[in-house]
Amino acid sequence: MERERIILGIDPGTQVMGYGVLRVVNNKPELMAMGILQLNKYDDHYLKLRRIFERIISLIDEYLPDELAIEAPFFGKNVQSMLKLGRAQGVAMAAALSRDIPIFEYAPLKIKMAITGNGRAAKEQVAYMLQNYLRIPDENMLPQMDATDGLAAAVCHYFQTNNPANEKKFTSWKDYINKNPGKVKK
């Protein structure tokens, strides 16, 4: 029986919002879509928030994702920018919540680490690794790195939730020893 799930990844922004849609069939990921929402043409911050909400809703209605993975805002020096970015993230989350889609937040460092092995990787490195991992043809890559950042959030979530090591939960060392008798010498 084929098991399928769809993950919508979002890189929130107030100038450009990136998104990626990942389809996972029998634990094999493939790109469904990626793109951007250009917001810098709007002067009104509240209109930008409305456009983010509407676009997330339209992506949800089109691709029917099972989960939303979103990049958490990082702590910058500019408080005003952080507030605006937090609002953009909140609106994207509200759109997912309005459709009962579970939300998973990942720090930018965690996303980059999951994709490249380096939490300080450049956006170009992230895009390159995603292109190779998902076998995305050159003509399907977008010049805006916000799109691959959104896709990176989805792939990071896929990695986090498909890690066999995450399946074994232990309550104590005694519990670990009881569940792994072959790994312990007596």
Side-chain angles (χ1 to χ4, degrees):
M1 182 170 115
E2 261 192 14
R3 284 189 17 234
E4 176 185 288
R5 73 180 174 137
I6 296 170
I7 305 166
L8 171 59
I10 299 292
D11 176 31
T14 56
Q15 298 301 312
V16 179
M17 180 196 81
Y19 66 88
V21 184
L22 191 69
R23 181 174 176 242
V24 181
V25 178
N26 290 330
N27 225 12
K28 291 184 180 86
E30 64 182 48
L31 172 69
M32 285 183 81
M34 72 174 154
I36 61 161
L37 174 59
Q38 202 74 43
L39 297 161
N40 51 8
K41 57 187 169 191
Y42 304 108
D43 290 331
D44 183 0
H45 181 66
Y46 300 106
L47 181 56
K48 290 179 182 186
L49 296 176
R50 179 180 176 170
R51 294 286 182 248
I52 292 169
F53 186 86
E54 291 168 348
R55 184 63 179 131
I56 299 293
I57 290 292
S58 72
L59 289 168
I60 290 169
D61 291 347
E62 182 176 353
Y63 295 104
L64 305 172
D66 300 290
E67 300 155 321
L68 178 116
I70 191 164
E71 185 175 301
F74 61 93
F75 297 101
K77 291 180 180 156
N78 186 333
V79 177
Q80 280 304 110
S81 294
M82 237 176 72
L83 276 172
K84 287 180 179 177
L85 187 58
R87 288 176 181 166
Q89 183 198 32
V91 166
M93 293 166 105
L97 290 170
S98 77
R99 294 290 202 266
D100 294 320
I101 297 178
I103 299 164
F104 300 88
E105 251 185 295
Y106 297 98
L109 197 80
K110 175 109 176 156
I111 294 171
K112 289 177 180 183
M113 181 64 88
I115 305 303
T116 69
N118 175 6
R120 304 268 181 230
K123 288 178 175 279
E124 292 79 10
Q125 290 173 296
V126 173
Y128 175 79
M129 294 299 284
L130 288 171
Q131 183 177 12
N132 285 319
Y133 179 68
L134 296 171
R135 295 181 180 89
I136 304 170
D138 286 339
E139 60 270 13
N140 292 3
M141 293 298 289
L142 300 176
Q144 301 90 350
M145 298 291 161
D146 304 274
T148 47
D149 284 352
L151 180 60
V155 172
C156 174
H157 180 64
Y158 162 73
F159 288 155
Q160 295 302 306
T161 56
N162 286 300
N163 183 350
N166 286 347
E167 292 174 15
K168 287 190 176 180
K169 300 288 183 203
F170 306 105
T171 57
S172 66
W173 278 110
K174 185 177 180 180
D175 185 37
Y176 175 82
I177 292 167
N178 289 336
K179 290 179 181 174
N180 294 283
K183 292 188 177 186
V184 179
K185 292 182 184 179
K186 292 184 180 185

